[in-house]
Amino acid sequence: MTDQHRPRNPVEQYPAPDREKQPELEYPGLTSDMVSAPDHGEQTYRGSGRLEGRRALITGADSGIGRAVAIAFAREGADVVLSYLGSEEDDARETVRWVEEAGRRAVAVPGDIRSEEHCRHLIDTAVRELGGLDILVNNAAYQMVQMNGIADITTEQFDRVLKTNLYALFWLCKFAIEVMEPGSTIINTSSIQGTSPSPELLDYATTKAGIVDFTKGLASDVAKRGIRVNAVAPGPIWTPLIPATMPREKFESFGDDVPLGRPGQPAELAPAYVFLASQESSYITGEVIAVTGGKPFS
């Protein structure tokens, strides 16, 4: 049986998605509208109890990387609070189904993390519904490609990107630390854009670079409390966000420029989050794991 442990040729592990037939989507995009559905590990991720009894909050948990992490966490034994936008309800319900099929509890909480009050509500919900919070995954992000670079980035867009990608992360970390016990972990999602910025994603890349520094600084700040803080930096990953935020001329070649020659799948990110959430990474904090298909993160 194929699972995440079986050795395979990484170049051929996944066929390239059919990007030519993929229509552009309206933001934020739904998994059901993908011509080549992303693999979230539904049929392949095999758990081994590495997060047994842990309680997690994952933002952007409806689809893409967030769904893959939720499935992996549940199969490793964790209960999960799922944060997502209300417009992504259909995708979120599917994530809930997979978590519950793994025998774990899924608490779905729609809302906009650009609100400080909603971020507080998410942490309070985790404590109330799950009895505490051991793992926070800051995964939700907003991007919108502007082919003319800074000339087309409006103040409204810049504000939205920073509020979603940085302000929410700050609020959620601040509130989570108030309730976390020693041994808890925070995992932030950066990006290859954090060190290799594309001009058409200038605002998004700025936040992803900021997340790296925030992660390293916060890790030093809370180490004495026994809380670890790390980040994962994905490369080009095939999710609904891609055709929902990029023009066709960009996403038709999406992922072709990495050494492995293809975009990654959300299922290929999940093991990095599981590792950083588990006791196996007990002496790792303030670090970034790059999952980029071989593209240098430096």
Side-chain angles (χ1 to χ4, degrees), residues 81-160:
V81 172
L82 310 169
S83 163
Y84 58 95
L85 289 171
S87 58
E88 300 165 321
E89 187 68 37
D90 289 348
D91 270 353
R93 287 293 137 196
E94 183 69 3
T95 305
V96 166
R97 183 175 73 84
W98 285 108
V99 170
E100 291 180 342
E101 280 196 11
R104 308 310 305 184
R105 188 168 181 205
V107 181
V109 187
D112 194 333
I113 59 173
R114 288 180 293 170
S115 160
E116 182 176 0
E117 291 74 21
H118 182 66
C119 289
R120 169 66 81 178
H121 173 65
L122 285 169
I123 302 301
D124 290 345
T125 299
V127 173
R128 183 179 66 253
E129 297 294 331
L130 304 183
L133 180 64
D134 306 300
I135 306 163
L136 169 63
V137 176
N138 286 302
N139 171 68
Y142 178 77
Q143 70 172 39
M144 187 61 68
V145 166
Q146 298 295 349
M147 295 303 290
N148 293 320
I150 193 170
D152 285 347
I153 299 174
T154 65
T155 298
E156 180 183 24
Q157 175 173 316
F158 193 76
D159 185 63
R160 181 173 185 175

Side-chain angles (χ1 to χ4, degrees), residues 200-240:
E200 62 270 17
L201 284 169
L202 178 61
D203 46 0
Y204 174 82
T206 298
T207 64
K208 292 302 181 174
I211 288 171
V212 172
D213 267 11
F214 183 92
T215 297
K216 292 178 180 294
L218 183 62
S220 294
D221 183 21
V222 301
K224 57 185 175 294
R225 301 180 183 221
I227 299 171
R228 295 185 297 110
V229 187
N230 293 289
V232 176
I237 307 299
W238 186 244
T239 73

Side-chain angles (χ1 to χ4, degrees), residues 23 28 49 51 55 62 69 81 107 112 131-132 135 171 181 190 213 231 237-238 247 251 272 286:
L51 302 178
R55 302 156 298 186
D62 55 290
V69 173
V81 172
V107 181
D112 194 333
I135 306 163
W171 289 325
E181 299 292 334
S190 181
D213 267 11
I237 307 299
W238 186 244
F251 73 70

Side-chain angles (χ1 to χ4, degrees), residues 3 35 75 77 84 102 108 133 143 160 172 188 227 245 254 274:
D3 60 26
V35 172
R75 292 182 183 176
Y84 58 95
L133 180 64
Q143 70 172 39
R160 181 173 185 175
L172 286 165
N188 299 321
I227 299 171
T245 64
F254 181 73
V274 170

